[in-house]
Amino acid sequence: MDRIKIIGGQRLSGTMPISGAKNAALPLLIASLLTSDRLTLKNMPNLADVALLARILRNHGVDHLIEGKRAQPNVHVGETYHLTARDIVDTTAPYDMVSKMRASFWVLAPLLARCGEAKVSLPGGCAIGTRPVDLHLQAMKALGAEIDIDAGYVVAKAPKGLRGNRIVFPKVSVGATHAALLGASLCRGETVIDNAAREPEIGDVAHCLIKMGALIEGIGTSTLRIQGRDRLEGATHTVLPDRIEAGTFAMVVAATGGDVVLEGAKRSLLDTAIDALVQTGTEVTDTPTGLRIVRNGHHIEPISVETQPFPGFPTDLQAQFMALMTRAKGTSVIRETIFENRFMHVQELARLGADIHLHGDTATIKGVRQLKGAPVMATDLRASVSLVIAGLMAEGETMINRVYHLDRGFERLEEKLSACGAQIERITG
Ligand code: UD1
């Protein structure tokens, strides 16, 4: 199993290219089920999760062809996927697939919309809390589907297709909003989604669905209005930049000190996190093609944050921000309001000498003068990258085990960091 070895203490300088967003790439791949025509997706990130979902979709009848370019550490390259689901050959998503890749549960909506039936395994437990799917089912029921739960499967039927309706979500959910949007696009009549998630990746998927023929208003707001179509067409769409990767690298530079341009990063996707970073004493300026992140000598100010749905502080940057706060000059408080149990990085950060006290959904972090390298274990995607940040700040060697979690969501992480002067290498085997 691969490991990552880091020798901390290097300041970073140079350029880091930002890849296409994983959280848009996944639902966009799933949107290919909605049409028998070709869907071309550009700027796709080269990630384990994306490749796995494409393989899973093949079981439903989606052929894919990937046009790749040779990856380089400091140049922005993306892959182009050509996807065609001429015939849906299987409307069942079995447990062994959905348990490997939670987002593959989202095939429920397009399969129902296109074939009038779907049988999709419940995702089961997850390392970051229970993560139920009740809101997904609420959305499909509102669109006219009959739903049964049988032996761990959601068995859904809509023999005459889905029909538009009002969906009022009691809670903001990114996945359930994607499901509602995908279903409502290939559907008779108008759907209004209230309390929709406003994450930019939802807007990106909506823009692709518009190119495929759906009419969608309210993008970026919490009310989406969709005029469905009885047939959607092929389209070509370019995936937006990954705001979580950009925010992570910005936090890396804030942690190590240095001067780095994040090529392709967009401030508007990341306002709240940038505000927090600026308050820590990091300079963030716009460049014609990205964002420049600078921190010189200045100590790290302790800043308290609370995770919230977009446009609030993203839960997917919580672990990284906590890593940064371990070296702040004073005490900060981080409250996680989106997921229960999303603090698995705390005990690993403590192995490097961090002083963190957990109470319910709140972590209190007392900044320490120095972290010391140690062997640690990656537990989930975002938790793992917080260990990379801590390792880059720490004195001496940090060895991160189980890095396959990182490969799920960060493209060529060690290459991009070492090109800017970080001492980080992958040890294979
Ligand atoms: C997506 C992102 C993930 C991010 C999360 C929150 C993708 C592939 N993943 O995950 O990176 O951390 O949004 O920004 O885009 N919930 C319910 N019932 C449901 C669905 C969700 O109670 O039917 C709850 C969840 O348990 C959680 C909250 O709603 O507490 C938000 O979850 P949701 O926004 O759905 O997260 P995901 O779509 O799974």
Side-chain angles (χ1 to χ4, degrees):
M1 230 182 275
D2 289 6
R3 291 173 297 162
I4 280 187
K5 178 176 149 186
I6 299 171
I7 309 288
Q10 317 300 320
R11 288 168 57 80
L12 303 190
S13 67
T15 299
M16 290 185 201
I18 302 303
S19 299
K22 171 180 90 83
N23 285 356
L26 299 178
L28 285 166
L29 282 175
I30 289 174
S32 67
L33 288 166
L34 290 168
T35 175
S36 55
D37 296 345
R38 177 185 273 204
L39 179 65
T40 296
L41 300 175
K42 296 183 172 177
N43 197 32
M44 290 287 277
N46 184 351
L47 296 171
D49 266 11
V50 171
L52 176 61
L53 183 58
R55 283 203 298 279
I56 289 176
L57 289 173
R58 199 187 284 164
N59 293 300
H60 298 295
V62 182
D63 288 330
H64 71 268
L65 192 137
I66 306 170
E67 249 179 66
K69 289 185 204 140
R70 202 181 162 78
Q72 287 168 32
N74 51 4
V75 180
H76 179 59
V77 282
E79 291 181 326
T80 297
Y81 273 60
H82 300 287
L83 302 132
T84 315
R86 208 167 304 284
D87 299 302
I88 302 292
V89 295
D90 195 344
T91 55
T92 299
Y95 177 71
D96 60 337
M97 288 181 198
V98 183
S99 59
K100 267 192 219 133
M101 146 78 47
R102 199 176 187 281
S104 69
F105 181 80
W106 301 356
V107 299
L108 179 68
L111 288 177
L112 255 177
R114 181 144 166 216
C115 307
E117 60 170 41
K119 185 177 168 189
V120 180
S121 169
L122 288 165
C126 170
I128 50 171
T130 47
R131 296 183 91 168
V133 292
D134 54 322
L135 303 175
H136 294 245
L137 303 188
Q138 178 201 332
M140 293 306 102
K141 281 183 192 162
L143 297 179
E146 281 170 28
I147 307 249
D148 281 317
I149 306 289
D150 184 27
Y153 277 80
V154 175
V155 183
K157 289 201 168 68
K160 293 185 187 147
L162 298 175
R163 58 185 140 68
N165 199 353
R166 189 174 200 99
I167 302 171
V168 184
F169 284 124
K171 177 176 184 178
V172 177
S173 158
V174 172
T177 304
H178 278 307
L181 195 56
L182 292 169
S185 295
L186 186 63
C187 174
R188 271 174 295 131
E190 178 180 280
T191 297
V192 176
I193 309 174
D194 275 330
N195 203 20
R198 287 188 280 162
E199 269 63 7
E201 294 75 21
I202 301 222
D204 204 39
V205 173
H207 284 298
C208 180
L209 290 167
I210 290 173
K211 291 176 195 158
M212 293 168 76
L215 286 177
I216 303 174
E217 289 170 17
I219 294 175
T221 74
S222 52
T223 303
L224 293 169
R225 189 178 287 273
I226 303 121
Q227 308 288 342
R229 289 277 182 261
D230 54 12
R231 185 179 180 281
L232 292 176
E233 288 156 13
T236 298
H237 183 76
T238 302
V239 180
L240 88 170
D242 196 317
R243 64 194 165 98
I244 302 302
E245 188 193 30
T248 300
F249 286 151
M251 286 173 198
V252 166
V253 181
T256 60
D259 185 344
V260 170
V261 172
L262 305 179
E263 194 66 34
K266 276 200 189 142
R267 181 188 286 264
S268 60
L269 303 178
L270 210 61
D271 266 333
T272 313
I274 288 178
D275 284 352
L277 271 182
V278 168
Q279 289 177 55
T280 68
T282 309
E283 284 171 45
V284 182
T285 46
D286 293 281
T287 71
T289 53
L291 288 173
R292 180 173 171 207
I293 316 291
V294 180
R295 192 172 70 77
N296 285 315
H298 192 278
H299 65 259
I300 302 168
E301 284 289 337
I303 299 299
S304 296
V305 298
E306 179 174 300
T307 62
Q308 288 293 342
F310 192 84
F313 190 95
T315 175
D316 286 349
L317 287 174
Q318 179 256 106
Q320 297 88 315
F321 197 71
M322 191 181 297
L324 175 63
M325 288 298 101
T326 61
R327 288 283 320 281
K329 199 174 177 191
T331 301
S332 57
V333 175
I334 297 183
R335 189 165 164 245
E336 171 59 58
T337 73
I338 309 287
F339 290 111
E340 48 184 288
N341 226 345
R342 203 176 208 187
F343 282 133
M344 281 161 317
H345 41 289
V346 168
Q347 59 193 31
E348 299 301 307
L349 290 172
R351 292 177 52 76
L352 301 176
D355 182 350
I356 305 171
H357 178 74
L358 271 186
H359 186 70
D361 64 2
T362 302
T364 304
I365 306 113
K366 275 195 199 143
V368 293
R369 278 181 58 83
Q370 190 55 277
L371 298 174
K372 280 231 162 80
V376 287
M377 197 179 291
T379 48
D380 75 24
L381 173 55
R382 311 302 176 188
S384 332
V385 81
S386 77
L387 301 176
V388 172
I389 296 179
L392 290 170
M393 282 192 288
E395 215 172 58
E397 178 183 305
T398 295
M399 184 71 82
I400 305 180
N401 294 290
R402 297 199 185 167
V403 297
Y404 55 83
H405 289 291
L406 277 176
D407 297 333
R408 288 184 40 217
F410 287 92
E411 182 176 332
R412 299 179 292 116
L413 179 82
E414 68 279 10
E415 276 180 50
K416 291 184 185 184
L417 290 171
S418 55
C420 288
Q423 280 195 36
I424 176 168
E425 64 173 312
R426 178 178 293 254
I427 300 173
T428 40

